[in-house]
Amino acid sequence: MTNVTAIAILWVITVESVIVFLGNLFTIFVFWKHRNKLKRTAFLLINLAVTDLLVGFGQLIVIKTFAFSQQLEIASTRYGIIAAALQATFSFASLFCLAAISLERAFALTWPLRHRVTSTKIYIYSIVFVWISGTSVGASLLLAVYEILDIELLNIGLCIVAISALLIICLSYLAIRRRLNCRVPSIDTALKRQSGLRQSTKFSRTLFIVVAASLVFWLPSIIISVLYFLRSFSFPKLLGYSVTLLYLANSAVNPIIYSFRIPIFKETLKRIKIRKRSKQYRVSHRT
């Protein structure tokens, strides 16, 4: 791969990272603005937006560290290792958060009555677990780089963890799809008369799309990463860049889905458009 191609791909990754950062910043803003209307599931979505925002920010740090080391003609040692560990922390935290959201929606659709009486503490514990798990991955990577842990064993362990999280998402995806396609369960027929359950089902459909999108983007990148860590065969650099583009796309697509599917996002976007039009009208009227 030529230097021109590498620089072009690096610029694409940079632009995608900025889009990830700004899109998830907008998501956090919308959720925070309408926090009084949100239900407990939104805690997990806000956490996902935070992790995805940090994924974009972490990737920008990695790119900046790489560019800095190239300009000074030094090897990206300490700063590069720290940046890579941070990016691993945020990426795995995002993956674990997707698994938690998938499990929560599968539970909500399979056992709706139990879900309604579930304590809010469970959601808080889930968020804490997501960050402890992600931080553990980053810390393990640092220990492996400094030869405190065996790098090969760590790679195998990370592959197992990533595949396990992906399996949880896949099984939850199948459970959600089955419940959404189910038309006549006896207990649901009576409950569907309540507006709360209808809203929950609609919300579950939105998260079903989020889960499906995460599978589309995460599955190829995890497969490639697993094969790379297990050293089954050598990869060209272009394929390595493709992995980065895929998991960044996963972090960028959620705000787009929310904007088309969740009413509070549609309302916020409409208000922004109205304000822009009013400002343009005032400017044109003054001139």
Side-chain angles (χ1 to χ4, degrees):
M1 185 171 60
T2 63
N3 290 332
V4 176
T5 306
I7 292 173
I9 294 175
L10 201 62
W11 272 107
V12 172
I13 293 175
T14 303
V15 172
E16 192 174 12
S17 301
V18 173
I19 292 173
V20 169
F21 182 84
L22 294 178
N24 286 282
L25 187 65
F26 172 72
T27 300
I28 296 170
F29 166 75
V30 174
F31 278 135
W32 177 256
K33 186 176 181 180
H34 297 87
R35 58 189 180 278
N36 296 328
K37 303 177 183 178
L38 300 177
K39 297 183 179 180
R40 297 169 299 175
T41 310
F43 296 162
L44 297 175
L45 294 179
I46 294 172
N47 186 60
L48 178 62
V50 171
T51 57
D52 285 340
L53 180 144
L54 292 174
V55 165
F57 182 71
Q59 189 61 46
L60 289 173
I61 293 177
V62 171
I63 293 172
K64 186 65 178 178
T65 303
F66 176 78
F68 179 74
S69 62
Q70 292 296 316
Q71 287 175 1
L72 297 182
E73 297 182 353
I74 59 175
S76 55
T77 53
R78 181 179 301 175
Y79 298 108
I81 291 168
I82 295 174
L86 285 174
Q87 185 65 347
T89 298
F90 302 146
S91 298
F92 272 86
S94 177
L95 179 62
F96 296 148
C97 193
L98 282 168
I101 292 173
S102 304
L103 284 174
E104 192 273 342
R105 278 297 94 188
F107 177 70
L109 290 174
T110 306
W111 296 286
L113 295 179
R114 291 183 182 180
H115 176 263
R116 292 177 65 183
V117 296
T118 302
S119 173
T120 306
K121 292 182 180 179
I122 301 297
Y123 291 82
I124 297 174
Y125 294 154
S126 300
I127 293 172
V128 172
F129 176 77
V130 163
W131 281 105
I132 290 176
S133 302
T135 305
S136 299
V137 171
S140 300
L141 183 61
L142 285 176
L143 293 176
V145 169
Y146 288 106
E147 298 183 351
I148 299 175
L149 291 178
D150 189 346
I151 187 66
E152 292 186 359
L153 290 177
L154 176 63
N155 288 337
I156 294 173
L158 291 180
C159 290
I160 294 173
V161 169
I163 292 172
S164 300
L166 194 64
L167 284 175
I168 290 173
I169 294 174
C170 288
L171 293 175
S172 301
Y173 173 88
L174 293 175
I176 294 170
R177 181 177 180 180
R178 182 178 180 182
R179 294 300 298 177
L180 288 176
N181 292 336
C182 189
R183 299 285 183 181
V184 212
S186 58
I187 192 167
D188 288 352
T189 303
L191 290 173
K192 278 184 180 178
R193 297 173 184 174
Q194 302 179 13
S195 60
L197 186 63
R198 288 197 299 269
Q199 292 176 358
S200 178
T201 303
K202 186 177 180 180
F203 189 60
S204 296
R205 292 184 184 276
T206 299
L207 296 188
F208 175 78
I209 298 173
V210 171
V211 172
S214 68
L215 286 176
V216 169
F217 291 114
W218 265 108
L219 186 58
S221 59
I222 288 178
I223 291 174
I224 294 171
S225 299
V226 167
L227 293 176
Y228 174 77
F229 286 142
L230 297 179
R231 302 182 186 279
S232 300
F233 52 88
S234 58
F235 288 95
K237 288 185 178 180
L238 184 60
L239 193 58
Y241 285 127
S242 300
V243 173
T244 303
L245 291 171
L246 282 172
Y247 78 75
L248 282 175
N250 176 71
S251 298
V253 75
N254 290 339
I256 299 173
I257 296 173
Y258 298 154
S259 298
F260 284 100
R261 298 284 303 182
I262 299 180
I264 58 175
F265 281 82
K266 294 180 181 179
E267 180 184 342
T268 304
L269 289 173
K270 285 182 181 179
R271 288 181 179 179
I272 292 174
K273 290 180 181 179
I274 291 172
R275 288 178 182 177
K276 284 184 177 181
R277 289 176 182 175
S278 62
K279 286 182 180 180
Q280 291 175 356
Y281 175 78
R282 289 175 185 175
V283 171
S284 61
H285 186 71
R286 287 176 183 177
T287 56

